[in-house]
Amino acid sequence: MNRPLILASQSPRRRELMEKLHLPFQVMAATVDETLDLSAGLQSAMEELAWRKADCIWRQHPEAIVIGADTVVVRDGEILGKPHDEKEAVRMLKSLSGRIHQVMTGVCVLSSERKECFCDVSEVEFYPLQEDQIRRYVATGEPMDKAGAYGIQGEGFFLVKRINGDFYSIMGFPAARTARVLKKWME
């Protein structure tokens, strides 16, 4: 790839997954309003948020290809973002206990010539969780910077009974699908 590739995210998980693509890239944080406009539906809102992040960095580096992404957890139509405190993390995990929820990751790949956005949706089912199990997990601190208060790639894997979808998208970045977009752009 002759053009710079920039990941518009400070997420260590997205960075780790981008490294699996074996393409040279830079990481730059995109500071944007993350309010979701749900008027066209949540999947469209996630794509639009990913575009805002990519566009923020692309405006500073118009010669680059920029990738923006964001992830939310949704249970019964309620968006579960990152918990503000341990009490909220416990509440979120209790609400996911023994139930199925969706993880939605919006991605936008943007350059001066093209824009391609998509939203990858996966289903996750949790085992029924005991109060002490939830509190021990929250005490690790891991849930505090994660949508839905869990990280499937960390200790949170103990909570997960099954998934239907892309494991890496649940981590926060559908690397294989993004790689296919980039490959198409390079042909």
Side-chain angles (χ1 to χ4, degrees), residues 66-169:
V66 182
I67 301 170
D70 205 277
T71 302
V72 294
V73 170
V74 182
R75 188 211 70 260
D76 298 332
E78 180 184 356
I79 298 169
L80 304 178
K82 296 176 184 177
H84 295 97
D85 55 30
E86 289 186 1
K87 183 177 178 180
E88 187 176 22
V90 168
R91 182 190 63 76
M92 285 183 188
L93 292 168
K94 282 182 179 180
S95 78
L96 297 173
S97 175
R99 300 181 64 198
I100 295 172
H101 61 275
Q102 292 74 40
V103 179
M104 297 183 172
T105 299
V107 176
C108 183
V109 183
L110 181 64
S111 74
S112 56
E113 298 86 27
R114 295 172 85 167
K115 170 179 110 172
E116 188 164 339
C117 300
F118 63 88
C119 183
D120 195 84
V121 181
S122 300
E123 284 189 339
V124 179
E125 181 178 0
F126 269 20
Y127 284 105
L129 307 174
Q130 301 298 317
E131 173 100 16
D132 62 328
Q133 181 183 19
I134 291 171
R135 292 197 180 281
R136 275 195 311 273
Y137 178 57
V138 170
T140 69
E142 183 178 273
M144 301 317 296
D145 69 338
K146 314 247 182 344
Y150 75 95
I152 196 168
Q153 73 282 0
E155 297 296 314
F157 86 92
F158 283 113
L159 313 175
V160 176
K161 182 175 184 178
R162 70 172 181 85
I163 67 169
N164 181 14
D166 182 343
F167 176 83
Y168 295 118
S169 186

